[in-house]
Amino acid sequence: DTLILIATGEEAKLYRQHGAHLKQEEHWTPHNLADEGPSGKSPSEQSDRESMEATFSKQLAERLYNYAHKGKFENFVLIADPETLGEMRPLLHKEVSDKILLEMNKTLINAPLPDIEESIAAARKYKITD
């Protein structure tokens, strides 16, 4: 029961693995960005876009925790662009991070499904995480 999240600072797609293939389950976009704000203290030089992306990373981490806490997945693959991955790593609850099988520093949000499946398979084969 593997859950795959492919994310950028602007959107995320949630997939579930069925054998060698993935099936998209959800498409997440940021919400209530002005009300929530990023986690922690924002640097004064942070742009509005960077602040919004940091807030979305926090929202993703919270959703993943809720999924893990409810037992909605046993294993997890996290694929995100470098900035989003860097924002999310420290925000992931231990209940989520303990389930990570693979972490990829890659932008695949708009990639066709066969390309995503191939990237995951190749990374697992060679245990590449970045």
Side-chain angles (χ1 to χ4, degrees), residues 36-120:
E36 289 191 28
S39 183
K41 191 171 183 177
S42 299
S44 59
E45 68 276 0
Q46 189 175 52
S47 71
D48 287 343
R49 180 180 175 173
E50 290 169 330
S51 177
M52 287 181 180
E53 288 178 355
T55 302
F56 185 50
S57 293
K58 179 181 84 170
Q59 291 175 351
L60 291 174
E62 289 171 355
R63 279 183 153 179
L64 290 169
Y65 169 71
N66 288 332
Y67 269 50
H69 191 66
K70 292 176 182 174
K72 291 189 174 185
F73 65 95
E74 291 299 316
N75 300 300
F76 181 56
V77 173
L78 175 59
I79 304 170
D81 64 87
E83 294 81 17
T84 303
L85 190 58
E87 287 283 344
M88 285 185 68
R89 276 183 182 140
L91 301 174
L92 292 175
H93 190 277
K94 185 172 175 16
E95 201 167 339
V96 175
S97 59
D98 284 351
K99 296 177 186 287
I100 293 176
L101 294 177
L102 178 67
E103 192 177 274
M104 291 175 62
N105 181 358
K106 226 173 175 182
T107 305
L108 292 176
I109 196 77
N110 293 318
L113 201 51
D115 291 356
I116 295 169
E117 292 168 346
E118 186 177 308
S119 290
I120 292 171

